[in-house]
Amino acid sequence: MKILIINGPNLDLLGEREPGVYGADTYESVCAYIREKAEGIGIECGFFQSNSEGAIIDAIHEARKTYDGIVINAGAYTHYSYAIRDAISAVKIPAVEVHISNVHTREEFRHRSVISAVCRGVIAGFGKDSYVLALYALGGIR
Ligand code: CA2
């Protein structure tokens, strides 16, 4: 099984600021951690990060050709990007929405996701393990 892990805006800065919210690991070390855990359950991962909405949409479109599923942390786009929502909806492969932090304990604007309704499920609040839990979830979808 091949899964694409998509990360949105500012997640390339992981480990540089707000370690209390997002952890102390860098983006690269989080990817290495996810890859290692994925290999343990027989999943091959690709990784994509962009700060641009259009590039994320292009990655979702491309994923449908070579991947079996998507794990997406759309960053702040989660809360307002109908274009990313439409892209997830347009591709037939399943997507799981993830967040490192528990968005529901934070500011009101983070409580709303416009992409949840087109994802198979949502995992939030488990740090870098949110991504790993999403891989387990996708591994169980047949
Ligand atoms: O908790 C998450 O994973 C979020 O998707 C992260 C987004 C935020 O806008 C969402 O509401 C919740 C933002 C990521 C910002 O990443 C930073 C990385 C390093 C330093 C500061 C922010």
Side-chain angles (χ1 to χ4, degrees):
M1 180 178 239
K2 281 185 71 177
I3 303 294
L4 181 63
I5 314 277
I6 297 177
N7 277 287
N10 298 309
L11 288 155
D12 53 327
L13 298 182
L14 280 176
E16 289 190 22
R17 289 182 297 125
E18 301 194 57
V21 180
Y22 298 117
D25 296 311
T26 63
Y27 172 72
E28 288 73 21
S29 67
V30 169
C31 292
Y33 178 79
I34 297 165
R35 189 187 300 281
E36 185 194 323
K37 296 289 183 187
E39 280 170 7
I41 54 172
I43 292 177
E44 185 186 335
C45 284
F47 293 89
F48 179 82
Q49 190 279 328
S50 178
N51 297 318
S52 304
E53 190 177 26
I56 293 169
I57 291 164
D58 289 342
I60 294 167
H61 291 179
E62 276 302 303
R64 81 187 194 284
K65 300 174 188 165
T66 47
Y67 287 93
D68 303 302
I70 293 170
V71 171
I72 181 162
N73 184 346
Y77 286 139
T78 301
H79 312 302
Y80 64 91
S81 176
Y82 297 114
I84 290 177
R85 174 199 172 109
D86 284 348
I88 295 168
S89 183
V91 298
K92 294 287 170 256
I93 56 173
V96 175
E97 173 185 348
V98 303
H99 299 286
I100 296 168
S101 64
N102 181 349
V103 284
H104 299 288
T105 64
R106 302 182 64 199
E107 303 95 321
E108 188 93 28
F109 76 89
R110 298 188 202 276
H111 299 182
R112 175 173 183 253
S113 167
V114 300
I115 69 171
S116 298
V118 295
C119 290
R120 293 290 287 263
V122 182
I123 298 169
F126 297 98
K128 60 190 176 185
D129 283 318
S130 290
Y131 297 92
V132 177
L133 292 166
L135 290 177
Y136 275 101
L138 284 169
I141 293 174
R142 288 283 175 261

